[in-house]
Amino acid sequence: MKFTVADLLDQLPPTGGLEIKKLEKILKLTTKADRDGLETALQALLKLGIVNNEEAGAIKRSDDESLIEARLRCSSKGFCFALRDDGGDDIYIRDHQLNHAWNGDRVLVRITRDGGRRRSPEGGVQCILERTTTSLLGHVERKDQKILAIPLDDRIFATIQLPDGDQAHLNDGEQSSVVEVKLDRYPIAQFPAEGHVARSLPLNGGHSSDRDLLLTKANLQDRPAPPRSSLKTPTAKHRQDLSSQPALLLRSWQVSDAPPLPAVYVEPHAGGTRLWIHAPAVAERLSIGNNLDLWLRDRAEALCLGEVWHPLLGQILSKACSFKVGEINDAVSVALDISADGEVTNWHFSLSSIKPVAEIGPKTLTALSNRKPKARTVPAALKSVKDHLAQLETLIFCAHTLQMGEQASGSIELDLAVPELQCLGDLRWADPDSYHHQWALPLDQTDPQSVLSPMIRAAHRAWAQHAQNLQLPGLVIEASEADNNALNDVAKSALALDIALELDEEGSPAATELAKAFSTTACRRVLDQQLRHALPETVLRLGIHDSQKENGNIDSEHEDTKTKDSNLQSPWCCPTIHYTDLVNQEIIVSLLSNGKDRPNVRQKEKVVLGSRECWQQIKWPLFSTSQAKNLEEICSKSLVHRLNTLRRQAEELRQDLIAMVQARIVEPLVGEEHQGVISGVQSYGFFVEIPPSMAEGLVHVSSLNDDWYEYRSRQNRLVGRKNRKIYQLGDQVNVKVVKVDALRNQIDLEVNGSAITVEANMNVNSDLTNQATTTKKSEVKGKITKNNEQLVSSSEA
């Protein structure tokens, strides 16, 4: 079919019905076969109670609140959970309740059993809204006279039946290659999935082959070429001339086709700094809804593959938007006033013309970092930018200040940078606007994009607040609160390493406090890894917008929410990397170009729509009826779902690429001994990071044949019953590399040498526990002793 169930349901209005003829027109169903497919789908949805019939042949979406929209996440162990879009508790799905849904699919779930204090609710898949997997990697095998493809991804609990002609791809036993299987039919009722082999892919074909494997694994291998489309010329009206400003381009990426990045300029101001951020003007060159815009929407993300990029923009659009040193460039800009405490006190958005004066790379910032403070000579690496050294130092100071302000407002900083491996290419540099996580990396003042990152986040927060004040539509980044049980587990790991912690008012460790406590310890990296796993990933959602206010009419008396959601981000600075930024930039351009800055033409005084306090003066509709409707249509629930899916795919691809590079580095080390650090402990074994690649391998408990080892979750350690040896988070161990599977990101290790004895560490914990029981709770509130009591009691409960 040309449409999915999700496409169908997304077209139905929230209230009232939609005629089938209009639905056919919206979905562009022109042939009889397509219309018959729609009728079959509607009949099935009617039987499931997902849609209802109305008068005059109209279809209405059901109001059944027991049907919950979610995304399916499965594990190789057979456990499946439906992750709710509304942020509610994950729903456990038993294998017989999957109804042929696969990992990553969008589904409608009905809860069959409510959750308890330590038990997730259970449910069953009622309908598959959208399939994520259209092709997969696998091995071809013969079973019961049938040719089958066995998925390489063990989270897909199915086999795909192949035609007899694909028997040429049967495994020869060496498994030197895998095949890409295109799905022709998904499983239904008693009928299995069917497909065909599209091509064979070698497992050891070098970097290019590895990239192809991972792109296929992520279903991102088929990205069509851009359509032919003419670009608009940015208007000169309402444009601020900032070409005399010596703006700089901070750029770490080395690959020639890497996406263009914003330019920045900073100067001291009122005890702090005034920072200008100039984003490439992509939205001004596009017509929303045309073929080029739809092509960009389908791509959604620029993909960094290390030494190769798959850009978001086409070559023509990218060239038109790129900032060129010494040339006049059109931009969408914001000026931020930043206090000495890192707080953004004022902002002003505008369309602008800029003229960058220099590009700053890692070599320049490294030379600046190594330069002695009072040196009179200028190193050779800095001579080309000697006129801008003062501004560079101010930029680094500004980045430090912003990062301090973020931490003061509750943001989390984790030291989990990508290892410095030359073969990672552009992946080893900081992502300038990464918002996949609700934590940030420490500032690296030798990495230009690390310096740029907190500035971009500040600009994103400023627009989120500005759009919220003006009640404009848009897309924002949201992160759910971390589960207290998960944070308690992280805190127990820290307590086992004798790290003092503080509790919040409810007696639980806060994620921000954990991150601060870990930042000064020798085991910071492994503890930060534990905390990262406890923090939910960020998701896109529709921005805060009161659709009931007619035509965007803003009441100046509405509540000022600038203190609420102060860390909310609405990304717009990097439309060359994310389609999300392009959507929000379109809203900014519409406001600055088409927004009404006065109630009528007779009014002489105008309101500056890009200024922070403008919302307090506006008592009229910002846009005409048609303009307001167009802005509403730019952002939709279906777009959010698609962008979230593609964001996850791009991030998983990035992580898989890094893991594969690390595994390839470890492959030649099979049979060798190396020293590593225990980065995680589970009942089935422990994980070890091996420097310098920081590849992570598993020492399975079955390989520890010198004793029977018990898993003690409170101390996050394995303890031998007889020899009293322990394997604990943060310990250094000698391991031998046994086996490496680069495609599955699996490294098997064995321990060599003796482990640390348990008595010394146990005595410390025993002393602390005794102290906790003999000291009054009021005297140790927020200290490690109370933390022990709280964590132990919660664990026992």
Side-chain angles (χ1 to χ4, degrees):
M1 292 190 296
K2 287 185 176 181
F3 60 91
T4 66
V5 176
D7 294 332
L8 192 159
L9 295 179
D10 287 339
Q11 304 307 322
L12 301 181
T15 58
L18 182 67
E19 294 181 7
I20 295 179
K21 291 292 184 183
K22 291 184 178 179
L23 185 58
E24 291 175 350
K25 187 176 181 180
I26 293 172
L27 295 175
K28 299 179 181 179
L29 306 180
T30 55
T31 67
K32 184 178 184 301
D34 291 337
R35 292 192 292 269
D36 289 344
L38 175 62
E39 182 179 354
T40 301
L42 289 175
Q43 290 297 326
L45 294 176
L46 283 167
K47 289 182 179 180
L48 291 172
I50 297 172
V51 298
N52 297 322
N53 270 324
E54 286 205 333
E55 296 180 359
I59 295 295
K60 177 185 177 183
R61 187 161 184 171
S62 171
D63 297 328
D64 188 353
E65 296 182 354
S66 65
L67 291 172
I68 299 170
E69 204 163 310
R71 176 176 57 89
L72 204 62
R73 184 181 67 189
C74 301
S75 74
S76 59
K77 305 299 182 183
F79 301 107
C80 293
F81 286 89
L83 280 59
R84 298 172 59 160
D85 293 338
D86 57 10
D89 292 337
D90 296 346
I91 304 168
Y92 177 59
I93 311 292
R94 296 183 182 273
D95 53 359
H96 66 278
Q97 294 281 10
L98 285 173
N99 291 328
H100 295 308
W102 288 355
N103 179 62
D105 289 346
R106 258 179 83 189
V107 295
L108 279 179
V109 175
R110 178 172 276 117
I111 293 180
T112 57
R113 180 179 178 182
D114 293 332
R117 182 179 177 185
R118 285 189 170 272
R119 188 186 69 243
S120 298
E122 294 185 18
V125 175
Q126 300 298 300
C127 178
I128 300 172
L129 298 176
E130 187 174 27
R131 292 283 190 176
T132 300
T133 304
T134 57
S135 66
L136 50 82
L137 294 176
H139 295 294
V140 180
E141 297 180 4
R142 187 192 299 273
K143 289 186 178 180
D144 300 328
Q145 304 304 314
K146 295 180 180 179
I147 308 299
L148 303 176
I150 310 301
L152 208 64
D153 188 346
D154 50 12
R155 297 172 299 175
I156 296 178
F157 314 129
T159 57
I160 293 85
Q161 190 166 318
L162 303 176
D164 292 339
D166 285 340
Q167 61 183 335
H169 299 280
L170 282 170
N171 261 342
D172 56 5
E174 297 181 0
Q175 296 189 357
S176 58
S177 66
V178 294
V179 296
E180 177 190 357
V181 178
K182 293 282 188 179
L183 274 298
D184 299 323
R185 186 189 72 186
Y186 293 98
I188 182 171
Q190 72 272 28
F191 301 103
E194 292 182 355
H196 66 277
V197 174
R199 56 177 174 157
S200 180
L201 297 167
L203 288 176
N204 298 297
H207 294 307
S208 177
S209 178
D210 286 349
R211 288 193 292 267
D212 201 8
L213 279 167
L214 293 180
L215 281 170
T216 306
K217 179 182 176 183
N219 279 288
L220 293 171
Q221 72 278 23
D222 296 324
R223 303 188 100 195
R228 292 184 179 181
S229 181
S230 58
L231 302 180
K232 295 193 301 183
T233 301
T235 179
K237 189 179 180 181
H238 307 299
R239 194 155 233 108
Q240 186 178 5
D241 185 6
L242 298 176
S243 57
S244 61
Q245 187 186 89
L248 300 175
L249 299 173
L250 303 183
R251 184 182 181 86
S252 308
W253 290 329
Q254 309 293 315
V255 179
S256 58
D257 58 351
L261 291 174
V264 291
Y265 172 72
V266 69
E267 63 184 16
H269 174 75
T273 53
R274 175 167 287 174
L275 171 69
W276 279 266
I277 300 175
H278 309 294
V282 180
E284 290 187 88
R285 292 177 164 86
L286 287 178
S287 297
I288 298 299
N290 71 357
N291 288 337
L292 181 57
D293 175 58
L294 296 177
W295 177 79
L296 291 171
R297 189 179 304 180
D298 286 339
R299 291 172 76 83
E301 299 283 333
L303 303 178
C304 178
L305 307 179
E307 299 170 347
V308 176
W309 275 86
H310 284 199
L312 169 64
L313 309 182
Q315 186 176 3
I316 296 175
L317 181 56
S318 180
K319 184 178 180 180
C321 298
S322 299
F323 291 148
K324 302 168 187 67
V325 174
E327 297 182 18
I328 302 293
N329 303 269
D330 295 314
V332 181
S333 305
V334 64
L336 304 174
D337 289 348
I338 303 165
S339 70
D341 298 328
E343 179 185 358
V344 176
T345 58
N346 199 11
W347 59 73
H348 181 270
F349 290 89
S350 64
L351 305 179
S352 65
S353 298
I354 66 168
K355 187 178 180 180
V357 295
E359 182 173 311
I360 307 300
K363 292 182 179 179
T364 301
L365 290 191
T366 301
L368 182 63
S369 178
N370 294 334
R371 186 190 184 198
K372 295 180 180 179
K374 296 182 179 180
R376 296 183 179 181
T377 59
V378 178
L382 297 177
K383 285 186 177 179
S384 61
V385 294
K386 64 179 181 179
D387 295 334
H388 312 296
L389 294 182
Q391 188 190 169
L392 279 176
E393 292 173 346
T394 308
L395 277 171
I396 294 172
F397 168 78
C398 179
H400 272 293
T401 304
L402 284 170
Q403 202 132 354
M404 288 171 53
E406 288 177 340
Q407 293 181 35
S409 63
S411 70
I412 300 169
E413 183 178 283
L414 302 180
D415 188 10
L416 297 174
V418 175
E420 286 287 338
L421 302 174
Q422 192 68 27
C423 52
L424 282 174
D426 280 354
L427 285 171
R428 69 186 188 275
W429 303 110
D431 193 341
D433 73 333
S434 175
Y435 41 74
H436 293 284
H437 316 290
Q438 56 174 306
W439 49 269
L441 291 169
L443 183 67
D444 178 3
Q445 63 184 43
T446 64
D447 181 352
Q449 290 171 190
S450 179
V451 175
L452 184 62
S453 186
M455 303 176 190
I456 289 179
R457 292 197 297 270
H460 290 173
R461 289 193 297 271
W463 175 247
Q465 189 61 62
H466 199 70
Q468 182 175 328
N469 288 340
L470 291 177
Q471 297 290 282
L472 295 173
L475 304 176
V476 298
I477 300 296
E478 182 180 56
S480 304
E481 291 290 333
D483 181 67
N484 282 337
N485 292 329
L487 292 179
N488 282 339
D489 290 339
V490 177
K492 283 186 254 184
S493 300
L495 289 173
L497 298 174
D498 304 332
I499 297 173
L501 300 175
E502 292 188 0
L503 305 176
D504 60 18
E505 295 178 354
E506 298 179 356
S508 299
T512 52
E513 294 302 326
L514 289 173
K516 289 178 182 177
F518 299 165
S519 64
T520 57
T521 67
C523 299
R524 178 178 184 179
R525 180 175 173 84
V526 294
L527 289 172
D528 280 355
Q529 285 177 325
Q530 302 296 310
L531 183 54
R532 175 188 63 182
H533 296 312
L535 297 174
E537 297 297 312
T538 59
V539 294
L540 278 174
R541 65 168 173 80
L542 295 176
I544 300 173
H545 173 59
D546 189 352
S547 59
Q548 295 180 352
K549 291 188 179 295
E550 186 177 357
N551 299 330
N553 185 22
I554 306 300
D555 181 3
S556 63
E557 300 295 327
H558 81 77
E559 179 186 2
D560 181 5
T561 56
K562 60 177 175 293
T563 58
K564 182 182 179 182
D565 295 329
S566 60
N567 287 321
L568 199 67
Q569 295 189 53
S570 187
W572 64 275
C573 288
C574 295
T576 59
I577 305 176
H578 311 287
Y579 188 80
T580 302
D581 295 57
L582 181 54
V583 170
N584 286 326
Q585 192 181 93
E586 175 63 28
I587 306 295
I588 298 175
V589 170
S590 297
L591 173 68
L592 300 177
S593 301
N594 305 319
K596 295 181 181 180
D597 53 10
R598 49 184 172 168
N600 52 64
V601 294
R602 296 186 298 274
Q603 179 74 30
K604 299 297 182 182
E605 186 176 352
K606 298 181 180 180
V607 175
V608 181
L609 297 180
S611 64
R612 177 181 180 176
E613 303 299 338
C614 69
W615 65 273
Q616 295 178 336
Q617 307 172 52
I618 298 174
K619 300 180 181 179
W620 57 87
L622 279 173
F623 300 101
S624 66
T625 304
S626 61
Q627 289 172 338
K629 184 178 179 181
N630 289 337
L631 289 181
E632 291 288 346
E633 291 177 351
I634 289 175
C635 306
S636 65
K637 189 177 179 181
S638 60
L639 175 63
V640 170
H641 283 306
R642 175 160 184 79
L643 293 181
N644 272 324
T645 298
L646 293 173
R647 283 176 69 240
R648 282 190 295 268
Q649 286 180 330
E651 178 62 15
E652 288 174 2
L653 173 64
R654 179 178 179 274
Q655 296 299 329
D656 284 347
L657 279 163
I658 294 172
M660 177 167 273
V661 168
Q662 292 173 315
R664 292 299 191 194
I665 292 174
V666 176
E667 271 183 331
L669 307 180
V670 172
E672 297 182 9
E673 294 183 19
H674 291 271
Q675 188 175 69
V677 177
I678 296 179
S679 56
V681 182
Q682 297 293 334
S683 58
Y684 51 83
F686 57 88
F687 295 91
V688 178
E689 273 192 341
I690 305 174
S693 68
M694 307 311 289
E696 194 174 55
L698 173 66
V699 176
H700 198 272
V701 70
S702 62
S703 68
L704 302 175
N705 50 21
D706 61 331
D707 199 352
W708 180 274
Y709 285 85
E710 296 177 343
Y711 175 56
R712 300 188 179 177
S713 59
R714 293 183 187 176
Q715 293 85 26
N716 209 352
R717 59 173 59 145
L718 289 172
V719 180
R721 281 187 178 181
K722 296 180 180 179
N723 58 24
R724 310 305 293 166
K725 290 180 181 179
I726 66 167
Y727 294 100
Q728 179 173 283
L729 193 72
D731 287 346
Q732 290 190 349
V733 291
N734 291 320
V735 293
K736 183 174 73 173
V737 182
V738 178
K739 182 182 177 182
V740 176
D741 187 336
L743 190 56
R744 288 189 172 93
N745 301 330
Q746 294 177 356
I747 301 174
D748 295 338
L749 306 173
E750 286 182 357
V751 170
N752 280 337
S754 59
I756 301 173
T757 55
V758 71
E759 278 74 12
N761 287 332
M762 287 185 66
N763 289 337
V764 172
N765 284 330
S766 177
D767 292 342
L768 291 172
T769 305
N770 291 336
Q771 181 185 356
T773 57
T774 57
T775 309
K776 293 181 180 179
K777 291 183 179 180
S778 60
E779 296 176 351
V780 293
K781 184 178 181 180
K783 302 301 181 182
I784 182 174
T785 49
K786 182 175 178 182
N787 205 356
N788 263 319
E789 292 177 356
Q790 294 282 352
L791 294 175
V792 170
S793 62
S794 64
S795 178
E796 290 175 348

